[in-house]
Amino acid sequence: MDLFADLAAPAMQHIGAQALLLRGMALDRAGALLQALAHVQAQAPFRHMHTPGGRVMSVALTNCGGQGWISDRYGYRYSSVDPGTGQPWPAMPAVLAQLACEAAAEAGFDGFSPDACLINRYVPGARLSLHQDRDERDLNAPIVSVSLGMTATFLFGGHARTDRLQRWDLSHGDVLVWGGQDRLRYHGVLPLRDHAHPVVGRQRINFTLRKAG
Ligand SMILES: O=C(O)CCC(=O)C(=O)O
């Protein structure tokens, strides 16, 4: 008997009534996900977008799927076209859509069919301020987030910006799903600490899959 088994982080943790953290779920697909990322970024390179307030985001981003999330001085929104190239965003790689669908089902959201995948790249010091995801037309669909590379601290709050924040470390291969009554909870990412990942190096990649249209 493993006397330390109880001390190991559980493979699944409910971090909200309808929010589930699936530790390491993407590990066996990490290579395929990184390959898919290389394909996407060759067509739609990472770039730092401006917030409506004129600040440059510390996180670099790109998208794949029918809809891509963008930000500029006119606001936050989805667009079917990459403003950088004038071309449609690259197609959603099957490995991503499949993983998101499986993770959503584990969390009780059957039939999730994302049409948007925002890909964020964090380098040490990059962060994402506390926000709600409310630019999607269908708020019944969950959000699925897949993390690769360096570990980041994810903040999970409540429905008001000032609500108490939970802190969860998201590591290489972790998948987080939130929806239903948790769909509009505030969330963000603390500035990334510098500790290179053996496979992905000094960066963290986060794929966030949503039903936008
Ligand atoms: O990077 C993450 O873990 C979260 C990303 C996120 O919150 C977002 O893209 O809205």
Side-chain angles (χ1 to χ4, degrees):
M1 196 173 73
D2 181 356
L3 293 175
F4 297 100
D6 286 347
L7 298 179
M12 274 191 204
Q13 286 167 284
H14 283 277
I15 71 166
Q18 290 186 282
L20 186 65
L21 175 51
L22 298 145
R23 292 276 183 210
M25 181 177 182
L27 274 181
D28 62 349
R29 281 170 258 197
L33 290 170
L34 289 169
Q35 246 177 20
L37 173 63
H39 193 67
V40 168
Q41 75 179 95
Q43 300 166 69
F46 281 106
R47 80 292 305 263
H48 293 271
M49 289 194 172
H50 287 79
T51 65
R55 285 210 301 267
V56 178
M57 294 177 69
S58 61
V59 167
L61 66 85
T62 185
N63 289 279
C64 60
Q67 299 290 321
W69 185 87
I70 61 171
S71 172
D72 58 20
R73 64 196 171 104
Y74 302 109
Y76 304 125
R77 64 196 176 281
Y78 281 91
S79 166
S80 57
V81 169
D82 177 347
T85 63
Q87 297 299 311
W89 297 103
M92 174 102 59
V95 62
L96 260 176
Q98 179 63 30
L99 174 61
C101 178
E102 286 172 29
E106 283 284 356
F109 301 100
D110 286 328
F112 180 49
S113 172
D115 61 1
C117 177
L118 168 62
I119 310 173
N120 289 318
R121 185 178 67 195
Y122 300 74
V123 295
R127 62 190 284 269
L128 202 60
S129 330
L130 215 52
H131 64 281
Q132 289 174 303
D133 289 359
R134 45 166 70 254
D135 301 323
E136 298 73 32
R137 217 170 277 162
D138 180 4
L139 296 179
N140 292 312
I143 297 166
V144 176
S145 143
V146 179
S147 295
L148 294 180
M150 294 164 72
T151 297
T153 304
F154 181 78
L155 303 174
F156 199 48
H159 288 88
R161 189 179 282 280
T162 49
D163 285 349
R164 191 182 64 84
L165 298 171
Q166 300 177 32
R167 290 168 181 238
W168 295 95
D169 275 352
L170 297 184
S171 298
H172 186 66
D174 288 348
V175 180
L176 178 60
V177 183
W178 69 100
Q181 68 189 80
D182 291 326
R183 174 65 178 71
L184 286 175
R185 285 173 71 162
Y186 276 88
H187 57 281
V189 177
L190 286 182
L192 193 67
R193 296 177 303 270
D194 197 355
H195 53 96
H197 184 271
V199 177
V200 184
R202 286 179 74 224
Q203 59 177 341
R204 167 177 189 258
I205 302 294
N206 178 260
F207 303 90
T208 305
L209 296 106
R210 307 185 183 92
K211 180 103 183 112

